[in-house]
């Protein structure tokens, strides 16, 4: 499948006027361009293109959309085919996701480096020809998109089990590209075979640097690190996971800059910080080659030898906390992720490592709202979710996720416009495939230990950053002899929270209440809270955030109650009301329907029932 990164790049590059003018004639009209609509017969132009917004709209037939949708409609093609058409138009290389299994092996480039290139390595990088020969660095001529022509390149050859699987081509002016449709792996991966310790550096030059210094168990990250906050899709780690699982220790020596630190954190999270070591860079150096050039071979050897265990949280000395403390002092506490679900962001944001309980009366929409949150967090933050859903098989649950992504109903509707069309369906499938791993609950251990074990594997292999367990009572709860239910729940939630914090994973845990009371006057159920969940008050005490979903079937209004926010800067107590549109199966927000705890009048109750806010916890940790 086409990677989300490629799709976003195409969206950024595609000029709607440029795209449409390939197929119809447009004329400038103020800030817009107009022309005869290609989708229906007309004599006076009603087809308008807005370049600033990147959209088209026909005021005659109602057709509208962006550049991708225009290609889909005009060429009567699929979403994927439209992406490929635009990629070709703008000279963008289409990257496939890691789900693609049929990789293309590159043609070998056997030409040895000429004297000029060898001189560059020896004088500028202090890397000898012996190392270049050992690492099978070659040269060739390759078409490079940056120059739109063939240019001389250096070929860094990527091997797995001594078989060439990829090549990175480096041309003039730091231009580079990887071999198209080839497997993405670490550079010098074979060097880890038979080793107990491996070293990860950032790129080929740092790999060559360590080899030059007699350190051979080193491999390099094949491509650059995205800025912090971007999608950290370590496809090369997914493809090489088994090689790292066999190691006892991994030294992470990636670049000492902002994005390098971001990469270090993700590598540590995925590989397991308990088996990782980190390095300390000399003053004024950001990578291994700079150490070699400035301080010499022994300094590089000492740099790697001085790697220390990853600081363990809870016993971290103050000197290891200092940078983080200074950041908090200057910038404030770390923010949570906004869900971008209208009305929610002022009440609650989501932080890695936290547990969010979701409760509510059966049939009131807990699952629907959890799906809404997961899809929106995946859409806006590239979160990857592992789904442990006992109540629906994977294919059924995927239809719900596709609905939330496409903002239309999945199933048939009397009005076809309310249902996802084929292209919207394909786009939803692509999105779901990249962001959700559905557990087949009949094939895994459904104890808390079993789910944590499977989730850990998914974190390490696929970079999962969120999980949902739905619902609690379907877990196989095995209590020790003499252990009370309260003691068991406390132990299980502690295990879950320890896993979440260790790997920086956010969890939605869905649990049904059993203590449900009706108001004597109205006859309606009161709003449950986390203490209403069967078994233990620990469902309130040990969670970071608490959400209750309450739906009034008479008015079709759904109140989302935020009943606990442990870290005060991530949100506040309150509720927000939505209408659930059955035609498109989506939550519709009324901007006047957000009630914050501080704003609640003394005589006010929520739209559906009675609500007594829990005491707001203001302790930062």
């Amino acid at each position: 499948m086409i990677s989300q990164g490629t799709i976003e790049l195409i969206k950024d590059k595609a000029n709607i006027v440029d795209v449409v003018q390939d197929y119809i004639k447009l004329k400038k009209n103020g800030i817009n361009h107009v022309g005869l609509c290609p989708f229906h017969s007309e004599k006076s132009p009603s087809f308008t293109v807005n370049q600033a917004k990147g959209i088209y709209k026909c005021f005659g037939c109602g057709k509208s959309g962006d550049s991708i949708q225009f290609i889909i409609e005009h060429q009567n093609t699929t979403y994927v085919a439209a992406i490929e058409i635009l990629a070709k138009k703008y000279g963008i290389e289409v990257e496939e996701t890691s789900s693609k299994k049929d990789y293309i092996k590159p043609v070998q480039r056997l030409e040895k480096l000429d004297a000029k290139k060898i001189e560059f390595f020896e004088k500028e990088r202090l890397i000898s020809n012996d190392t270049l020969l050992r690492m099978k660095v070659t040269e060739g001529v390759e078409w490079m998109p940056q120059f739109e022509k063939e240019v001389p390149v250096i070929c860094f050859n990527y091997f797995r089990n001594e078989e060439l699987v990829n090549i990175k081509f480096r041309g003039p002016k730091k231009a580079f590209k990887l071999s198209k449709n080839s497997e993405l792996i670490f550079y010098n991966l074979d060097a880890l075979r038979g080793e107990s310790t491996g070293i990860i550096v950032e790129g080929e030059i740092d790999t060559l640097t360590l080899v030059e210094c007699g350190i051979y168990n080193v491999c390099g990250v094949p491509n650059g690190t995205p800025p912090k906050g971007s999608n950290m899709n370590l496809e090369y780690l997914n493809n090489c996971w088994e090689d790292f699982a066999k190691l006892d220790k991994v030294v992470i020596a990636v670049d000492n800059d902002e994005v390098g630190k971001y990469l270090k954190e993700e590598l540590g999270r995925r590989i397991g910080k308990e088996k990782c070591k980190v390095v300390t860079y000399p003053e004024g150096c950001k990578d291994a080659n700079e150490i070699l050039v400035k301080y010499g071979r022994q300094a590089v050897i000492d740099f790697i030898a001085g790697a220390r265990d990853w600081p363990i949280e809870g016993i971290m000395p103050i000197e290891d906390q200092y940078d983080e403390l200074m950041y908090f002092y200057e910038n404030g506490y770390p923010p949570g992720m906004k869900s971008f679900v209208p009305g929610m962001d002022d009440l609650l944001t989501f932080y890695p490592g936290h547990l969010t309980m979701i409760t509510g009366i059966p049939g009131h929409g807990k699952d629907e709202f959890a799906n809404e949150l997961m899809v929106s967090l995946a859409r806006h933050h590239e979160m990857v979710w592992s789904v442990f859903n006992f109540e629906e098989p994977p294919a059924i649950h995927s239809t719900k996720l596709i609905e939330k992504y496409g903002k239309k109903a999945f199933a048939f509707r009397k009005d076809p416009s309310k249902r996802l069309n084929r292209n919207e369906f394909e786009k939803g499938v692509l999105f779901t495939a990249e962001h959700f791993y559905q557990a087949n609950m009949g094939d895994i251990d459904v104890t808390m230990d079993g789910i944590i074990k499977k989730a850990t594997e998914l974190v390490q292999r696929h970079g999962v950053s969120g999980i949902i367990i739905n619902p609690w009572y379907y877990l196989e709860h095995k209590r020790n002899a003499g252990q009370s239910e309260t003691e068991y729940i406390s132990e299980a939630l502690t295990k879950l929270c320890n896993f979440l914090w260790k790997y920086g994973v956010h969890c939605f845990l869905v649990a049904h209440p059993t203590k449900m009371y009706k108001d004597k006057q109205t006859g309606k159920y009161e709003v449950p809270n986390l203490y209403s969940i069967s078994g233990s008050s620990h469902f309130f005490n040990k969670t970071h955030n608490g959400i209750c979903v309450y739906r009034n079937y008479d008015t079709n209004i759904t109140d989302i109650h935020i009943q606990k926010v442990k870290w005060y800067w991530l949100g506040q107590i309150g509720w927000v009301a939505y209408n659930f549109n059955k035609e498109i199966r989506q939550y519709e927000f009324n901007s006047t329907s957000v009630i914050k705890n501080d704003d609640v009048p003394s005589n006010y109750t929520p739209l559906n029932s009675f609500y007594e806010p829990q005491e707001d916890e203001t302790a930062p940790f």
Side-chain angles (χ1 to χ4, degrees), residues 41-303:
S41 179
E42 64 178 9
K43 296 182 179 179
S44 299
S46 58
F47 185 84
T48 302
V49 179
N50 187 309
Q51 184 168 345
K53 295 181 178 179
I55 59 174
Y56 67 89
K57 168 76 174 179
C58 178
F59 293 93
C61 66
K63 294 277 190 181
S64 64
D66 60 7
S67 297
I68 298 172
Q69 188 62 33
F70 179 83
I71 297 294
I72 291 170
E73 297 280 358
H74 192 273
Q75 299 298 102
N76 191 26
T77 190
T78 66
Y79 182 84
V80 172
I83 290 292
E84 291 173 343
I85 290 171
L86 290 172
K88 184 176 180 181
K89 173 179 174 64
Y90 289 100
I92 296 172
E93 186 173 348
V94 175
E95 292 183 353
E96 303 287 341
T97 66
S98 57
S99 60
K100 181 178 175 63
K101 301 299 181 184
D102 297 326
Y103 297 109
I104 297 175
K105 296 219 170 27
V107 177
Q108 287 190 333
R109 308 300 177 89
L110 302 176
E111 299 90 341
K112 293 182 179 180
L113 294 177
D114 62 28
K116 185 177 180 180
K117 294 183 180 68
I118 293 172
E119 183 181 12
F120 164 78
F121 277 105
E122 291 183 335
K123 288 189 174 181
E124 300 295 327
R125 301 291 190 171
L126 301 189
I127 294 170
S128 68
N129 190 36
D130 287 343
T131 294
L132 298 173
L133 290 170
R134 179 190 182 102
M135 299 296 289
K136 301 177 182 178
V137 180
T138 57
E139 69 171 66
V141 175
E142 180 71 14
W143 189 92
M144 299 292 282
Q146 296 90 333
F147 304 102
E148 297 186 346
K149 64 179 182 180
E150 290 187 341
V151 297
V153 293
I154 297 171
C155 304
F156 295 100
N157 298 292
Y158 283 62
F159 295 91
R160 185 202 288 277
N161 298 323
E162 300 182 0
E163 182 181 14
L164 184 67
V165 298
N166 208 330
I167 301 174
K168 179 180 282 187
F169 303 100
R170 278 203 174 271
K173 299 181 180 179
K174 298 184 178 181
F176 76 90
K177 74 172 186 179
L178 287 153
S179 183
K180 185 176 181 181
N181 295 328
S182 295
E183 186 178 10
L184 195 62
I185 65 172
F186 281 86
Y187 181 61
N188 199 34
L189 181 67
D190 283 350
L192 301 185
R193 285 188 298 175
E195 298 285 349
S196 60
T197 299
I199 304 165
I200 299 176
V201 296
E202 196 166 337
E204 298 83 10
I205 299 298
D206 281 354
T207 304
L208 298 176
T209 297
L210 265 64
V211 172
E212 177 70 23
C213 297
I215 302 170
Y216 304 116
N217 56 330
V218 56
C219 62
V221 171
N223 51 18
T225 307
K228 188 171 183 179
S230 303
N231 178 24
M232 182 68 79
N233 178 20
L234 305 187
E235 181 183 343
Y236 49 85
L237 182 56
N238 300 346
N239 293 338
C240 302
W241 171 249
E242 289 78 6
D243 298 274
F244 288 90
K246 297 173 183 176
L247 298 173
D248 297 327
K249 286 290 182 182
V250 177
V251 177
I252 300 178
V254 294
D255 288 0
N256 187 35
D257 53 20
E258 183 178 357
V259 293
K261 292 174 183 177
Y262 178 38
L263 175 61
K264 180 188 75 172
E265 287 293 329
E266 182 66 5
L267 287 169
R269 186 181 80 88
R270 293 280 302 277
I271 294 170
K273 294 179 180 179
E274 71 283 356
K275 68 186 288 183
C276 289
K277 287 178 172 285
V278 293
V279 295
T280 302
Y281 279 86
E283 186 69 29
C285 295
K286 76 174 184 64
D287 58 39
N289 190 251
E290 284 192 0
I291 299 174
L292 177 62
V293 172
K294 289 184 178 181
Y295 300 109
R297 184 175 185 271
Q298 189 59 46
V300 175
I301 296 172
D302 294 342
F303 164 69

Side-chain angles (χ1 to χ4, degrees), residues 437-484:
Y437 287 88
Q438 305 264 6
N440 188 347
M441 303 307 289
D443 295 335
I444 67 170
D445 176 2
V446 294
T447 63
M448 180 58 77
D449 287 337
I451 285 179
I452 289 173
K453 181 179 180 181
K454 183 59 63 176
T456 301
E457 183 180 354
L458 288 164
V459 168
Q460 294 172 337
R461 289 177 178 264
H462 301 294
V464 161
S465 52
I467 67 171
I468 182 169
I469 303 172
N470 180 21
W472 165 263
Y473 70 80
Y474 262 106
L475 282 174
E476 187 176 343
H477 301 295
K478 295 180 178 180
R479 280 193 265 167
N480 298 325
Q483 188 179 39
S484 69

Side-chain angles (χ1 to χ4, degrees), residues 556-572:
N556 202 35
I557 291 175
T558 298
D559 287 339
I560 306 299
H561 298 265
I562 310 303
Q563 297 178 332
K564 180 179 181 181
V565 183
K566 188 174 183 65
W567 289 7
Y568 69 90
W569 66 88
L570 298 181
Q572 59 182 306

